[in-house]
Amino acid sequence: MYRPPASPSLSFDTARIVSSSQQPSNEPTNWNGEMDGVARLRDRECFMRIYDHFMPRLCIYLRGLGAPAAVAEELAQECLLRLWLRASEFDPAQGALSTWLYRIGRNLHIDRVRRERSWMQVQEAVEDAAAGDVSERSSAEQFADHARLRQRINELPATQARLVRMSYFEAKSHSEIAQALGMPLGTVKSHLRRAFLQLQSKVGGAP
């Protein structure tokens, strides 16, 4: 888990300055033509010119917000994917393309931090409810909690239930699960996040 963003305005401005200072200053006067090509014509060449220019800058910017290099690259990719999907929403009258992209990147970074905090809390809740304190609880109580957890896992969608069993009961890492099932690692992680969020409201309650 990486550190949460600092003061929003300070982080945004500071990281943007750092990003700009560490890259060649060859940005065109504006990107309106390329953005128009992406928005109206789905022009891949226009998009790739934008991608090649902004991908390294977004990575530097996101690292300035506290994201590790690998996470910064992942978020930058997602940011540029959103540009491809939502190019028609860009309004040059409201500001430069760089400002628009950095704002999207910053919001993705904040969302990532929030998801990771929630993910850790859910994992801890599931583990606490299932394992309990052996020194204070009877074997019968632990067995009941274990059975209740299995029951609620069975109520999940089939794919999510399978991944939770592999992660929790078989103690497999996310990478091992992805390799065993032939699934992308990101897909495994997103399925598990959704599964544990559903379990959060169920584990520890009445059967």
Side-chain angles (χ1 to χ4, degrees):
M1 183 182 299
Y2 56 93
R3 66 177 175 82
S7 168
S9 60
L10 179 60
S11 293
F12 183 84
D13 293 336
T14 302
R16 181 171 56 184
I17 291 170
V18 171
S19 173
S20 299
S21 68
Q22 294 187 20
Q23 294 293 336
S25 57
N26 59 349
E27 182 173 357
T29 303
N30 63 68
W31 291 90
N32 295 353
E34 283 79 3
M35 287 298 291
D36 187 59
V38 175
R40 293 193 306 107
L41 306 174
R42 314 307 287 164
D43 189 312
R44 292 183 179 275
E45 290 186 4
C46 288
F47 174 75
M48 289 311 300
R49 282 193 289 271
I50 295 170
Y51 181 99
D52 289 342
H53 181 86
F54 282 105
M55 180 64 184
R57 289 164 169 79
L58 283 165
C59 287
I60 292 172
Y61 168 67
L62 289 160
R63 289 202 299 270
L65 293 181
V71 175
E73 183 174 354
E74 178 184 334
L75 294 177
Q77 293 275 5
E78 185 174 350
C79 182
L80 288 160
L81 173 61
R82 292 199 180 191
L83 179 146
W84 172 259
L85 296 173
R86 304 179 184 178
S88 61
E89 298 177 11
F90 171 66
D91 182 1
Q94 299 298 317
L97 177 59
S98 57
T99 302
W100 189 64
L101 280 172
Y102 288 142
R103 184 170 291 112
I104 292 174
R106 173 180 172 275
N107 290 338
L108 290 172
H109 165 70
I110 292 172
D111 289 345
R112 177 82 174 230
V113 170
R114 289 172 176 166
R115 284 199 307 270
E116 288 195 350
R117 284 174 177 165
S118 177
W119 172 243
M120 292 301 295
Q121 291 170 357
V122 170
Q123 284 185 309
E124 290 171 2
V126 172
E127 290 171 2
D128 289 345
D133 187 344
V134 177
S135 64
E136 296 181 1
R137 305 180 63 205
S138 69
S139 297
E141 288 174 323
Q142 292 178 48
F143 180 82
D145 277 351
H146 195 72
R148 186 158 55 243
L149 177 61
R150 284 187 176 275
Q151 175 187 344
R152 282 162 180 170
I153 289 173
N154 290 337
E155 295 170 359
L156 295 170
T159 300
Q160 293 182 11
R162 184 180 186 186
L163 294 178
V164 170
R165 292 188 193 100
M166 293 179 74
S167 174
Y168 188 77
F169 294 112
E170 299 176 26
K172 292 185 180 294
S173 69
H174 294 175
S175 297
E176 290 172 335
I177 294 172
Q179 184 176 6
L181 300 181
M183 297 175 65
L185 180 59
T187 301
V188 170
K189 290 181 177 181
S190 62
H191 273 304
L192 283 171
R193 286 192 186 101
R194 287 195 293 270
F196 278 109
L197 287 173
Q198 291 186 54
L199 289 172
Q200 184 180 30
S201 60
K202 298 177 180 181
V203 172

